[in-house]
Amino acid sequence: MKRTIDLNSDMGEGFGVWEMGDDFTLLDYIDSTNIACGWHAGDPERMKNLVAAAIEKNVYIGAHPSLPDLLGFGRREMAITPNDAYNYVLYQAGALQAFIHAQGGKLHHVKPHGALYNQAAKDINSARAIAHAIKDLGDGIILYGLASSCFVEAAQEVSVPLWQEVFADRRYTPEGYLVPRKQANALIETEDEAIKQVLRMVNKSEVVALDGSVVKVQADTLCIHGDGPSALDFVRKIRPLL
């Protein structure tokens, strides 16, 4: 059987006059965009313009909701309840969904951002609340969540479609989680190593953890972080290999 994998990228993560990443060029090389909804980055004008460009280029449009942490770019952990997680996702994804509907498009997926994503990957109650919010946004909307994490169990329980996500530029713990960014060696900074990791995840459904152990993963969608200086070069190289 011929395998396929979706390429996704987090976008719209500028704010006001401040820009991050070459979003509109990157849209030519990816399959799915995850658009920031204002709580860690992004603003209404940026959301509207990216939705229009994604529709024009036939790129799947997803919401990228965050913890309410604009100053910390959504990467700082917060003590929240499952009800908070539900409300945060429904509120932000609903805002993006309004821009999508106004331009004749459809919300394809939701991918939580940063600390919200990582906390839910380890906490079934948060993951379940996020899945419920996605289900209430409409039929068929897909949850993009970390492979082999609590997102898998939550999506099955709530009957929400799930695309398990893997990362090209992040290292993994032996438990299958992403190594925290504040920890040394959390990021893969060379293209050759990132490509090697991607091909192993796609072809063998496994990734080598930071301690050298092997972790099983299902690679349905691959995150290409669009804020790096070499993001365009990397996606241009990895797409033909896939």
Side-chain angles (χ1 to χ4, degrees), residues 10-44:
D10 305 338
M11 293 187 169
E13 293 185 319
F15 186 77
V17 298
W18 183 72
E19 298 290 342
M20 175 182 276
D22 190 357
D23 290 345
F24 295 98
T25 303
L26 195 59
L27 281 172
D28 291 326
Y29 299 93
I30 62 170
D31 305 296
S32 301
T33 175
N34 320 306
I35 299 177
C37 306
W39 277 20
H40 75 282
D43 55 65

Side-chain angles (χ1 to χ4, degrees), residues 94 109 187:
H109 65 276
L187 301 179

Side-chain angles (χ1 to χ4, degrees), residues 5 80 105 145 169 172-173 178-180 191 202-203 205 210:
I5 186 167
I80 66 170
D169 62 350
Y172 285 73
T173 71
L178 300 179
V179 175
E191 287 186 358
V202 172
N203 292 324
S205 299
L210 196 59

Side-chain angles (χ1 to χ4, degrees), residues 56-67:
E56 180 182 354
K57 297 185 179 186
N58 293 314
V59 173
Y60 293 134
I61 305 172
H64 200 36
S66 167
L67 294 174

Side-chain angles (χ1 to χ4, degrees), residues 177-197:
Y177 303 125
L178 300 179
V179 175
R181 285 178 177 268
K182 60 185 178 182
Q183 186 173 325
N185 297 320
L187 301 179
I188 294 174
E189 297 180 350
T190 68
E191 287 186 358
D192 288 344
E193 186 180 356
I195 289 172
K196 182 179 179 181
Q197 175 162 293

Side-chain angles (χ1 to χ4, degrees), residues 136-182:
D136 288 347
L137 283 164
D139 291 339
I141 298 173
I142 301 167
L143 167 60
Y144 282 20
L146 183 67
S148 304
S149 72
C150 288
F151 285 118
V152 179
E153 181 181 349
Q156 291 173 344
E157 287 184 13
V158 181
S159 298
V160 168
L162 171 73
W163 286 7
Q164 297 191 53
E165 183 178 36
V166 294
F167 290 77
D169 62 350
R170 298 293 300 276
R171 291 191 172 88
Y172 285 73
T173 71
E175 298 77 23
Y177 303 125
L178 300 179
V179 175
R181 285 178 177 268
K182 60 185 178 182

